[in-house]
Amino acid sequence: MQSILNPDLDWRHYREVLRSRGRVQIPQAIKPNLAAQLQQCLQQLPWGVAFLQNGQSRLIDASSWAQLADIEQQRLYQQVCEEAKTSFQFWHHSYMLIAAYLEGRDPSSPLHRLVEQFNSPGFLQPMRELTGFTDIRKVDAQATRYLPGHFLTAHDDDGSPTGQIRRVAYVLSLSERWHPDWGGLLNFYDGDSGQIQDTFVPAYNTLSLFTTPQYHAVSTVAPYAPLPRLSITGWLRAD
């Protein structure tokens, strides 16, 4: 299977940055025509609402969310925001790509081809060479959409489910013309002081990679943001 990665980039440079800093942001990471296809697909997904409830990740699918009264939707959001004051929380739109692929939903979608390409030798081997983790065996994926008020508070990805070995987290950003004033920034924190060490703006067709565990968060999207923050995210795994 042909690689989706941009062959014109100096991948050796990004390998050195990742290995020295533990994180790297790679512009124009995948082929432009594929990036455009993926962005169009993300704009048409039936988005569910993802958040944490009683310590467990919960996803309310699009049809179930639409059946909730406005007051109930707002109540859930306010409850999540209250919990976010003192503990890890998130609220954003999600579409689980691996589940959709395995269930055969929308089989003609380019997103299914992306899942296959992510888990093909043409992607896995370059990722092993880039990260230095020769035991990477699979890539999981979900599509995410952040609208005004959506957020992901600080965490380190260390609490992976039993049996999962997460080597590197990734975010493939597909938001056009994103301005830092709109929020939705990928911030990296010092684990001791809580100070921000680095910030990645979700620029279009940019691949962010960072080793785990590492404290990070997505800042709240501003109420005046005119565009959704679109991305495909997950982990490069060794299990």
Side-chain angles (χ1 to χ4, degrees):
M1 183 177 291
Q2 190 176 16
S3 176
I4 64 173
L5 297 171
N6 186 345
D8 298 327
L9 297 180
D10 183 1
W11 289 95
R12 290 176 298 178
H13 165 72
Y14 296 115
R15 178 178 61 194
E16 294 171 2
V17 173
L18 177 60
R19 295 188 185 185
S20 64
R21 298 179 57 204
R23 53 185 174 266
V24 67
Q25 193 171 38
I26 306 172
Q28 302 302 313
I30 66 173
K31 295 175 180 178
N33 62 330
L34 178 58
Q37 281 186 327
L38 293 176
Q39 185 194 56
Q40 184 177 16
C41 286
L42 295 187
Q43 292 171 348
Q44 301 171 358
L45 286 177
W47 294 102
V49 178
F51 56 99
L52 206 62
Q53 190 171 57
N54 299 322
Q56 300 294 321
S57 295
R58 185 177 177 194
L59 178 63
I60 302 178
D61 63 59
S63 60
S64 298
W65 180 254
Q67 293 174 18
L68 293 178
D70 290 347
I71 191 171
E72 179 65 13
Q73 294 177 359
Q74 188 63 22
R75 185 193 66 79
L76 279 173
Y77 177 69
Q78 292 299 333
Q79 177 183 335
V80 167
C81 289
E82 186 64 27
E83 293 175 0
K85 295 178 181 179
T86 56
S87 60
F88 172 55
Q89 258 297 358
F90 54 86
W91 183 278
H92 58 78
H93 289 162
S94 176
Y95 183 85
M96 305 305 293
L97 294 178
I98 300 298
Y101 178 84
L102 294 176
E103 294 168 8
R105 283 183 264 150
D106 304 316
S108 62
S109 172
L111 294 172
H112 284 330
R113 307 291 78 75
L114 180 70
V115 169
E116 294 173 347
Q117 289 166 324
F118 270 171
N119 288 279
S120 73
F123 186 82
L124 290 173
Q125 187 55 35
M127 290 299 104
R128 295 180 189 119
E129 295 171 1
L130 178 67
T131 65
F133 291 108
T134 59
D135 59 352
I136 290 173
R137 297 182 56 243
K138 66 176 69 171
V139 180
D140 60 18
Q142 68 165 318
T144 65
R145 182 175 71 172
Y146 285 68
L147 300 179
H150 291 192
F151 61 87
L152 172 70
T153 63
H155 62 293
D156 64 4
D157 281 353
D158 195 29
S160 57
T162 302
Q164 286 192 15
I165 305 174
R166 298 170 175 176
R167 294 301 191 202
V168 177
Y170 75 89
V171 180
L172 176 60
S173 297
L174 292 162
S175 302
E176 269 193 297
R177 307 185 308 279
W178 192 265
H179 195 285
D181 284 351
W182 302 344
L185 307 177
L186 178 57
N187 290 324
F188 295 92
Y189 295 85
D190 177 84
D192 296 322
S193 68
Q195 297 298 308
I196 294 177
Q197 294 181 314
D198 207 352
T199 295
F200 288 173
V201 177
Y204 177 71
N205 193 10
T206 294
L207 179 65
S208 299
L209 297 164
F210 55 97
T211 56
T212 60
Q214 190 168 165
Y215 274 100
H216 62 284
V218 176
S219 64
T220 305
V221 175
Y224 51 81
L227 299 172
R229 179 191 186 274
L230 299 172
S231 64
I232 295 171
T233 183
W235 294 275
L236 311 180
R237 290 166 39 188
D239 53 286

